[in-house]
Structures are given as structure tokens and as C-alpha cells.
């Protein structure tokens, strides 16, 4: 595994873990939060989902680019 791929895997895992923590927090104490706290938590959840999607997209794009480069080199 390349260093770049390892870094992408780490980023996806970190953001996924944070997202899971936020979702568990929302499920366990969401009703106890003030409106502002709830909005902040919801923002955090949306942000982490966006980051997970983004880093997965980067990883997929990187794989596609590597495959294209290999095909071009083989041609």
C-alpha cells in the first residue's frame, strides 16, 4: 500500500469514527440538548458525512487515475 493510499485510508477511518461518535451522542442525549447545541451537533454530523464522502471520492479517483496511467503505460 502506498503512503498516499494509507493516508486516505486513515482519513476515511478518522472521519467515519468521528461521525459514529456524533451520531451516538445525538441518539443518547439529543433530546437533552439546547437548540443551539443540537444545531451544532447536526452541523458536525453533516460535516463529517461530507468529509467521509469527499475522502472516499478522492480515494476512488486516485484508483481510477492509477489504472488509467497503467493502461497508458502499457499501450
Amino acid at each position: 500500500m502506498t503512503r498516499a493510499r494509507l493516508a486516505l485510508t486513515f482519513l476515511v477511518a478518522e472521519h467515519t469514527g468521528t461521525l459514529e461518535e456524533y451520531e451516538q451522542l445525538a441518539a443518547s442525549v439529543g433530546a437533552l440538548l439546547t437548540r443551539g447545541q443540537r444545531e451544532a451537533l447536526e452541523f458536525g454530523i453533516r460535516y463529517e458525512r461530507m468529509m467521509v464522502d469527499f475522502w472516499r471520492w478522492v480515494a476512488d479517483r486516485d484508483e481510477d487515475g492509477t489504472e488509467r496511467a497503467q493502461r497508458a503505460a502499457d499501450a
Side-chain angles (χ1 to χ4, degrees):
M1 181 176 286
T2 66
R3 291 179 78 184
R5 187 72 181 151
L6 186 60
L8 289 173
T9 301
F10 173 78
L11 287 167
V12 169
E14 285 297 306
H15 285 287
T16 300
T18 303
L19 175 59
E20 289 171 356
E21 289 177 22
Y22 286 177
E23 289 174 336
Q24 289 173 357
L25 183 62
S28 64
V29 298
L32 303 174
L33 300 176
T34 66
R35 181 177 180 209
Q37 291 169 326
R38 188 170 41 257
E39 288 175 359
L41 182 56
E42 289 169 358
F43 176 83
I45 290 170
R46 284 192 307 273
Y47 172 80
E48 291 302 330
R49 283 184 183 144
M50 179 187 69
M51 294 308 295
V52 168
D53 290 344
F54 173 75
W55 288 116
R56 284 182 179 156
W57 174 79
V58 169
D60 292 344
R61 192 182 112 225
D62 185 48
E63 286 177 2
D64 291 344
T66 301
E67 290 173 12
R68 278 193 300 262
Q70 184 62 42
R71 284 193 302 267
D74 291 343

